[in-house]
Amino acid sequence: MKYLYRAYQLLIALPLGIIATIITALTVVIGCSLGGGHFFGYYPGHWWGRVILWLLLIPVKVEGREHLEKGQSYVFVANHQGAFDIFLIYGHLGRNFKWMMKQSLRKMPFVGWACAKSKQIFVDKRGASRIKKTYDDARRTLQGGISVVVFPEGSRTFTGHMGVFKRGAFALADELQLPVVPMTINGSFDIMPRMRDGHFVSWHPLRLTIHQPVYPVGQGTDNIQATLSQSYDAVMSSLAPEYQGFVENPDQ
């Protein structure tokens, strides 16, 4: 069965996935260039995420959407198990949002171009002025009524376990007094861990657990730390048993 699935990936899913990615990127670029950034900055990517998972026959379960209020901006934070986190959240979160992503992703063919055109937020750490611009961009997004999605570990896990949460997303939520929504991703590491980038996909179900929002209580350092700790504990609570517990990520 494994080799049949690999043949399917190579002969059907991969070529159709590449075509879907190129069409999605061009749609985003053209749509955003014509002034439809609110729609084209999200919906083509939303359907792209769903199509990729559908092509690879990956089943998805989402829990906790009832915790989200219509029209409310959130800072979503999730563990970063692997590349399939992107398809899962884009395709199945069901909220218009912008990503906070590594500056290096701007160089990805087609995808980086589309991300820049749709005003995704690139985290640029090359100097104080660029870091400030990152937070200014995120602030404008949240104040405009759209949410942001952040992987506060900053990089994908090597083990499936969670590393340390960095405080940037929580400081941003604190500044704007917005709720943070923790999300737990399960299955992405089993499908394709970062050590196997570019290899065949392993079939495994995906699950996205959306926890109750963590609302600010006060403002400042204590609130940032409290929000970070509550979010970390919530994400950890729904991880599969084999990935429970902290493991240091040398990439952080």
Side-chain angles (χ1 to χ4, degrees):
M1 196 67 173
K2 178 176 74 172
Y3 294 106
L4 182 62
Y5 185 48
R6 287 184 174 182
Y8 168 78
Q9 289 177 49
L10 189 62
L11 299 175
I12 298 175
L14 178 60
L16 290 178
I18 291 172
I19 292 169
T21 300
I22 293 172
I23 291 173
T24 299
L26 293 175
T27 301
V28 170
V29 169
I30 294 169
C32 290
S33 298
L34 294 175
H38 184 77
F39 180 90
F40 287 98
Y42 168 68
Y43 284 99
H46 167 67
W47 288 108
W48 170 71
R50 295 178 77 92
V51 164
I52 295 299
L53 295 177
W54 177 78
L55 282 172
L56 289 165
L57 313 177
I58 303 293
V60 174
K61 182 178 181 180
V62 181
E63 304 167 321
R65 282 206 192 98
E66 68 275 8
H67 297 145
L68 305 179
E69 296 180 22
K70 187 176 181 180
Q72 171 68 56
S73 294
Y74 294 106
V75 177
F76 290 98
V77 297
N79 58 314
H80 204 0
Q81 280 208 332
F84 277 72
D85 300 345
I86 308 300
F87 306 126
L88 175 62
I89 293 177
Y90 231 159
H92 294 275
L93 176 57
R95 304 284 291 204
N96 197 327
F97 68 87
K98 300 294 184 187
W99 294 100
M100 289 188 73
M101 58 178 61
K102 289 183 176 181
Q103 176 70 17
S104 59
L105 295 176
R106 191 189 287 266
K107 299 177 182 178
M108 286 185 66
F110 290 100
V111 173
W113 185 29
C115 288
K117 274 291 187 181
S118 59
K119 299 190 184 301
Q120 306 301 323
I121 303 160
F122 291 99
V123 180
D124 193 340
K125 299 179 180 179
R126 296 173 297 175
S129 63
R130 299 190 183 191
I131 293 173
K132 180 179 182 301
K133 183 181 183 305
T134 295
Y135 282 94
D136 287 344
D137 290 343
R139 191 181 299 110
R140 280 192 293 272
T141 294
L142 289 161
Q143 289 173 335
I146 298 178
S147 299
V148 297
V149 173
V150 187
F151 295 116
E153 292 168 277
S155 57
R156 290 174 291 164
T157 177
F158 282 102
T159 63
H161 296 260
M162 282 167 54
V164 175
F165 274 11
K166 298 177 181 178
R167 70 193 301 274
F170 305 96
L172 180 64
D174 174 74
E175 178 186 338
L176 299 177
Q177 289 291 279
L178 289 173
V180 173
V181 178
M183 302 190 298
T184 305
I185 294 170
N186 278 293
S188 182
F189 183 78
D190 301 282
I191 291 172
M192 184 177 286
R194 64 184 297 181
M195 305 83 72
R196 294 180 59 246
D197 281 349
H199 288 65
F200 284 104
V201 168
S202 297
W203 187 92
H204 195 283
L206 281 170
R207 187 171 85 247
L208 177 66
T209 304
I210 303 168
H211 298 277
Q212 292 189 4
V214 180
Y215 288 89
V217 179
Q219 191 166 19
T221 303
D222 289 345
N223 179 59
I224 293 170
Q225 188 56 48
T227 305
L228 187 156
S229 297
Q230 288 179 58
S231 299
Y232 190 93
D233 291 344
V235 176
M236 181 72 78
S237 70
S238 292
L239 274 176
E242 61 266 33
Y243 300 127
Q244 286 281 335
F246 167 79
V247 173
E248 185 176 1
N249 186 346
D251 202 26
Q252 287 192 310

